[in-house]
C-alpha cells in the first residue's frame, strides 16, 4: 500500500458507502406486458384483415392505380410537348432577332448609299422640278378608313 493515496473523507461519503437498492417495479412490467399483448393482438388482427382482401376492394384499388398511372403518363406527355414548344419559340425568337438585325443593317446601308444632294441636283437642274408653293398644296382627309386607295377619286373642295 505504499503507492496508494490515503482515503479522504469525500471518498468515504461518495464512493465507498453502500447504496440502498431500489425496489423492483414488478407491477410496471406486468402493465407493460399487458400493453404489448394488446398491441400485438391489434397488430395480428390488422394483419389478418389485410390478408382478407375482398374482390370489390381489389377492383377499386386496381382502378385507382390505373387512373394514377394514366394521369402520370398524361402529365409527362403534356410536359414534354410544352418543353418542345418552348424550345421552338426560343428558336423562332432567335431567328426573328437575326432577321431584325439584318433588316436594320440593310436599311442603314440603303440610307447611306443614297446621296440626297445628288437627287436634288438632278431633279432641279436636269428635270426642271421645283418645290410646290403653299397655295398648290391641298390636304386631303379621308374619314372612312385609314388607308388611301390609289385609283380612288379625290373629292373637289
Amino acid at each position: 500500500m505504499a503507492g496508494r493515496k490515503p482515503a479522504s473523507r469525500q471518498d468515504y461519503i461518495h464512493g465507498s458507502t453502500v447504496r440502498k437498492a431500489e425496489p423492483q417495479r414488478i407491477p410496471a412490467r406486468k402493465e407493460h406486458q399487458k400493453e404489448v399483448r394488446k398491441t400485438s393482438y391489434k397488430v395480428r388482427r390488422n394483419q389478418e384483415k389485410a390478408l382478407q382482401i375482398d374482390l370489390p376492394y381489389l377492383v377499386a384499388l386496381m382502378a385507382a392505380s390505373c387512373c394514377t398511372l394514366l394521369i402520370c403518363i398524361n402529365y409527362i406527355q403534356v410536359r414534354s410537348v410544352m418543353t418542345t414548344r418552348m424550345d421552338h419559340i426560343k428558336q423562332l425568337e432567335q431567328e426573328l432577332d437575326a432577321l431584325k438585325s439584318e433588316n436594320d443593317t440593310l436599311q442603314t446601308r440603303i440610307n447611306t448609299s443614297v446621296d440626297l444632294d445628288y437627287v436634288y441636283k438632278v431633279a432641279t437642274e436636269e428635270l426642271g422640278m421645283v418645290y410646290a408653293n403653299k397655295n398648290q398644296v391641298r390636304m386631303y382627309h379621308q374619314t372612312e378608313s385609314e388607308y388611301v386607295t390609289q385609283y380612288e377619286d379625290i373629292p373637289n373642295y
Side-chain angles (χ1 to χ4, degrees):
M1 296 230 175
R4 221 170 158 191
K5 222 178 178 181
S8 68
R9 185 170 176 189
Q10 286 180 345
D11 290 337
Y12 285 108
I13 294 174
H14 294 290
S16 63
T17 58
V18 177
R19 294 188 179 123
K20 292 182 181 179
E22 293 183 19
Q24 293 181 351
R25 295 186 180 167
I26 296 173
R29 283 189 178 173
K30 287 182 182 178
E31 290 174 11
H32 180 65
Q33 288 176 354
K34 287 180 183 178
E35 288 178 22
V36 169
R37 286 182 192 161
K38 286 181 183 178
T39 305
S40 61
Y41 172 72
K42 288 180 183 178
V43 169
R44 271 189 270 125
R45 190 175 65 190
N46 287 340
Q47 287 175 347
E48 289 172 4
K49 284 184 180 179
L51 292 175
Q52 298 174 356
I53 297 176
D54 53 347
L55 184 63
Y57 178 75
L58 182 64
V59 170
L61 184 64
M62 291 301 292
S65 298
C66 289
C67 288
T68 304
L69 181 65
L70 290 175
I71 289 171
C72 289
I73 289 172
N74 189 26
Y75 173 76
I76 290 172
Q77 287 176 345
V78 167
R79 186 75 179 192
S80 174
V81 167
M82 187 177 71
T83 303
T84 304
R85 287 184 180 170
M86 292 298 289
D87 290 341
H88 186 66
I89 288 171
K90 285 180 185 177
Q91 179 185 4
L92 290 175
E93 285 177 346
Q94 289 174 351
E95 287 178 20
L96 179 66
D97 289 340
L99 289 174
K100 281 183 179 180
S101 175
E102 183 181 351
N103 191 23
D104 291 343
T105 304
L106 290 173
Q107 184 68 35
T108 304
R109 268 197 347 209
I110 289 170
N111 290 340
T112 57
S113 69
V114 175
D115 185 14
L116 295 178
D117 292 331
Y118 175 73
V119 171
Y120 178 78
K121 183 179 178 183
V122 168
T124 56
E125 292 178 6
E126 293 180 17
L127 300 175
M129 299 177 83
V130 293
Y131 278 109
N133 295 331
K134 285 187 178 182
N135 60 354
Q136 292 176 329
V137 177
R138 294 193 185 182
M139 299 302 289
Y140 171 72
H141 297 287
Q142 185 176 7
T143 57
E144 293 176 11
S145 72
E146 295 287 324
Y147 298 100
V148 176
T149 307
Q150 184 174 358
Y151 298 109
E152 187 176 322
D153 292 335
I154 299 175
N156 293 329
Y157 289 102

